[in-house]
Amino acid sequence: MYKFAIERPITTLMLFLSLIFFGFMSFSKMNTVLFPKVDFPIITVQTNYYGADPATIESKVTEKIEEAVSSISGLDKMSSVSSEDVSVVTLIFDIEVDITEAANDVRDKISALSLDSAIEKPIVSKLDIGAAPVLSLFIASSSVKPSQLMIDVDEKIKPMIERLKGVGNIKTIGYQDREIRIYPDPFALRKYGITTLDLEKLIQASNVKISGGKLVAEKEQTIVNIRANAMSIESLENFEILQGVKLKDIAKIKDGIEDAKSISTLNGERGVILQIQKLSDANTLNVINRIKGVIPDIEKRIGSDYKLQYFNDTSNFINSSLEHVLFDLIYGGILAIIIVFFFLRNFTATLVSAVAIPTSIIGTFFLMDLFGYDLNKVSMLGLTLAIGIFIDDAIVVIENIYKKMEKGLNKVEASIEGTREIAFSILAISAMLLSVFIPVSMMSSIVGQFFNAFAFTVAIGIFISYFVAVMLIPTLSARVLKKGESKFYHMTEPIFVAIDKSYVKIVGLTIKYAKTTILLAFLTLIGSFSMVGMIGMDFVPKEDKSEIEVTLKAPIGVSLEEMGRRSEAIAQKIKENPYVEYTALTVAYNNTQDAHKAQIYVKLMDVSKRTTTQEQIIQTLRESLKDFKGFERIAVADIPNIKGAGANAPFVMVLQGSDLDELQVVAKKIQERMGKNKGIVEIADNYETGKPELSVEIKREDAANLGVSVQEISSIISTILSSERAVSQFEENGKQYDITMRFSDEYRKSVEDLKRLEVKTANGDFVALEGLVNFENSTGPASINHYNRQRQISIEANLAGVPLGEAVSTALKGIEKDLGDNIKYSFLGMAEEMGKMGKDFSLAFGLAFLMMFIILAALYESLLQPLIIMVALPLSFIGVLLALILAGKNFNLFTMMGIILLMGMVGKNAVLLVDFANQQLKKGLSVTEALVLAGEKRLRPILMTTFAMVFAMLPLVFMKGAGYESNSPMATAVVGGLISSMLLTLLIVPAIYKFLSPLDIWMRKFYDLNFMKESP
């Protein structure tokens, strides 16, 4: 291969230029995202049943839906919330499942259900309605009526965004739909002898629009439409309800908006917020750019009376984070080249070897695009960490070629001979590196998606760099490499010679006292594992994204407007912080629109404009808000990168059982235990009881005696108090609006108002409701939660300076005594994925170790030499642990990815030593002589390649900016592992080689033909 490349330079050059050209094209058009696609296929089923309490919703809706869909193939987990008027069932499928097929399966199951007639048709959605929006849009006006604002939001603004490619659900907060309200006068009803139920039926009978069939003639036909519906509010008012009695005589008709179900403000100004979510398979940046692009068109259409402002823009952090990684990539490459020049001290040699970095990186973009991968932070980090690998092979080749030139060979002969001599080592190093990533391809879940993107990127880069080293580098060396020694060379050579001599003396001693050296290394390794307990465990690090979230929870029963006033006071307090730019408040923001819950989005100054960290600001706000009255919980936290599917806090633990009271007792015990850890804060569970209820019990016997049905009493109470259910429809400009009916607020303030209600008996007389029902004040749950078809209580907590692993350990301490036989637990969100990460990493590490052994054994035709090379792996962990402790970093997803890469990187030093020693043994040298010579000749390449790798990663370790919290731990772990592995490999590998050499020779007598011939 290298001979062909040297003999056909133009062909070789065109091959790599084509790779670079297509790489640039791919880079310019590839999708750009923050992380690899980690969206699970999530289906939600939302069902409205107006007037039903949580217990009724649970039994009549939720449990039936759960039973129907539980058998669908690929379903991983299922959760549900049964609240007043609504059921929300969330189905999370395995990550490999096609979301469209899953949605079709769910619809098929739902369509076969038989639900009560009063229950609305379930709505099946292909997204997580609890997931984080990619962008939010605030709309307000000081000059336009609220009703007109709502119409424009619904008919102009929202449709223009919904039709954009990649836009999923748009959640409207603060929106009130247009509604035609009928407020009956109870005294007028009594005067004309009709009840509200009678009035409802009379309105429905008067407001009719139906098809009357068609007239069919010999040559044509005509559709007949019967239009007896109200064409205007005035015509509705003039409906003749009774002879000579119009609707306006017994009721007030108001064309307005429905009662507020939620509130939204931006910096205290009330308006409507559109929280825009993307479809699970859509590109975040593309969706946000499309939304921003359509905003000027929206402004033109709605006029200058409106204020439109977008916020919670997730694209800012994505772009900034990727820009920083790209900068670190370029900077790291420059540093690696400087290190190479310092060791080679030859300009042309450095220039030729440096070609490997851009060629490998840009070529990788082409193959990534070809195989359908996105350009994301993880892949860019992989390329940055692998810069040293890309130049490593080139360094080894060109350094060997240069040595051949020093011995008197010309450029072409030196290129051929130098490459031939080192080609096997390059192949072994590349094969070993690639073998590490084979097990990674088998990983699933979120962890697998991260590892797959990282592994594929690095593996492709290694694959390309191998061909660069054995084809492009020899070709260029044969033409441009110059032999010469500069002044800088002569100035520094004595230093390198001194290092060589010192190392030869030291390695001679380690070989002489091989057993002692091995024992000391083993004891050091064992001792280092005691440091593991000093390092915490997280799933992903907290990142300073210049935005935080404040979640508020007031006592159940507080009115929506009162919650808005209390929450706005919190928002104003937050704005007093000098680092806060603006706040956005949403009340009743969740799927079930609970009036006692609110959320404040807080935008901070960019991290580059402040000296205080986001975590410090969070702690400050916690202190300033902790004594605020009127709230049961005030939680201040960063906004997690992975949000939705019922896990919006770092720590989420689910307790499952059949008895809510038992679950609550266990939950309190766990919360008390966690509360003793000062780093676990804002602990709460989702069990909410104490919601004020007025139970109405109908006296069936008394009602039957008067000829009043139970259904009639229930309907009258519902009609009088609630306007949730439409009694008819009003059509205008092709759009239908609900006509609702209830008493005005002055007639529905207290129980006494209910007692005065009257119903009509069988003989037409009116009797007061008081004599037919009993009233009882009570409390009930605000919602009933299920997880995998069992009742559940989940415990959530935020973390302040402690790793997630510590929170999990604290919760699990003594938990078996708490649970008993009827309750089980599990984790959701980051805590769940952290557990999976530990298992997946252990499996990947074991399989990678096995694959490395298999490949090295095949390459070296030895069962012992692979073990000699692989001893570098455990030795690298000493440096990993020390580096993380000194830097104050934790184990997390990113450090685990770095360690996987490190496994392949650290073995290369041992490969260079062992391969050279094997060559010298074949020339007749003794084992000791071969090892000492190998150490002397391979010391500089090992130092050069290791320091090139280390310096290429230093920008990731030290450079601040967006995403630094994830980048730094990964690079820190790799740098620590590389340094410790280099130092120990240079000393320990020769000693182990010497110690195992007799055993290797003895074993070869059974399978190596050369040794078998020598045996008697």
Side-chain angles (χ1 to χ4, degrees), residues 83 236 486 712 1000:
S83 300
L236 178 63
S486 63
E712 187 173 3
D1000 185 42

Side-chain angles (χ1 to χ4, degrees), residues 677-947:
N677 187 322
K678 293 183 179 179
I680 306 175
V681 297
E682 298 162 349
I683 309 165
D685 60 59
N686 66 344
Y687 182 63
E688 298 176 324
T689 189
K691 185 174 185 178
E693 292 182 354
L694 178 65
S695 299
V696 180
E697 182 183 352
I698 298 173
K699 299 177 182 178
R700 294 179 178 272
E701 187 175 341
D702 292 347
N705 291 336
L706 293 172
V708 181
S709 69
V710 172
Q711 176 66 36
E712 187 173 3
I713 294 174
S714 301
S715 298
I716 286 175
I717 294 174
S718 176
T719 301
I720 287 169
L721 298 182
S722 174
S723 60
E724 295 289 349
R725 184 173 56 85
V727 298
S728 190
Q729 296 292 317
F730 176 75
E731 184 176 323
E732 187 177 82
N733 297 327
K735 188 173 178 64
Q736 289 194 332
Y737 302 97
D738 288 345
I739 299 176
T740 62
M741 183 172 68
R742 68 166 173 84
F743 279 5
S744 61
D745 292 342
E746 61 183 299
Y747 297 118
R748 60 170 195 162
K749 290 181 178 179
S750 66
V751 178
E752 297 304 317
D753 292 325
L754 279 179
K755 289 179 179 179
R756 287 193 290 268
L757 291 176
E758 293 182 326
V759 294
K760 188 186 292 185
T761 63
N763 59 15
D765 296 330
F766 283 86
V767 296
L769 196 62
E770 184 178 12
L772 299 178
V773 298
N774 290 322
F775 297 99
E776 182 181 353
N777 288 309
S778 62
T779 59
S783 61
I784 300 173
N785 301 278
H786 285 191
Y787 182 72
N788 288 339
R789 300 192 64 188
Q790 280 191 300
R791 285 186 169 185
Q792 62 100 333
I793 292 179
S794 63
I795 302 169
E796 292 186 359
N798 289 319
L799 307 176
V802 300
L804 180 57
E806 184 176 330
V808 171
S809 300
T810 303
L812 294 181
K813 189 176 181 180
I815 194 171
E816 297 302 329
K817 296 180 182 178
D818 299 333
L819 294 180
D821 299 327
N822 301 321
I823 298 175
K824 57 184 179 180
Y825 73 89
S826 57
F827 292 99
L828 288 181
M830 292 187 185
E832 178 188 21
E833 293 302 327
M834 185 183 72
K836 291 180 181 179
M837 178 182 71
K839 294 177 183 177
D840 287 349
F841 176 75
S842 300
L843 178 62
F845 184 84
L847 290 175
F849 195 91
L850 178 62
M851 291 303 302
M852 287 177 67
F853 177 82
I854 291 171
I855 289 175
L856 290 173
L859 289 170
Y860 283 94
E861 278 296 325
S862 171
L863 296 175
L864 280 182
Q865 288 198 357
L867 296 178
I868 296 171
I869 293 170
M870 292 169 66
V871 74
L873 271 62
L875 295 178
S876 66
F877 279 103
I878 299 172
V880 170
L881 297 173
L882 277 173
L884 290 176
I885 290 172
L886 292 174
K889 310 294 185 184
N890 294 329
F891 282 119
N892 56 59
L893 178 62
F894 290 90
T895 56
M896 295 300 187
M897 286 192 287
I899 291 171
I900 286 287
L901 176 61
L902 179 67
M903 288 176 61
M905 296 171 77
V906 298
K908 70 170 188 59
N909 295 334
V911 167
L912 292 174
L913 285 173
V914 170
D915 192 52
F916 192 89
N918 288 343
Q919 292 177 20
Q920 301 313 307
L921 284 174
K922 291 178 181 178
K923 294 178 180 179
L925 272 66
S926 67
V927 173
T928 301
E929 291 172 334
L931 288 171
V932 171
L933 186 60
E936 182 183 0
K937 298 299 182 183
R938 289 289 174 253
L939 175 63
R940 294 191 194 184
I942 288 173
L943 291 175
M944 180 166 38
T945 56
T946 301
F947 280 111

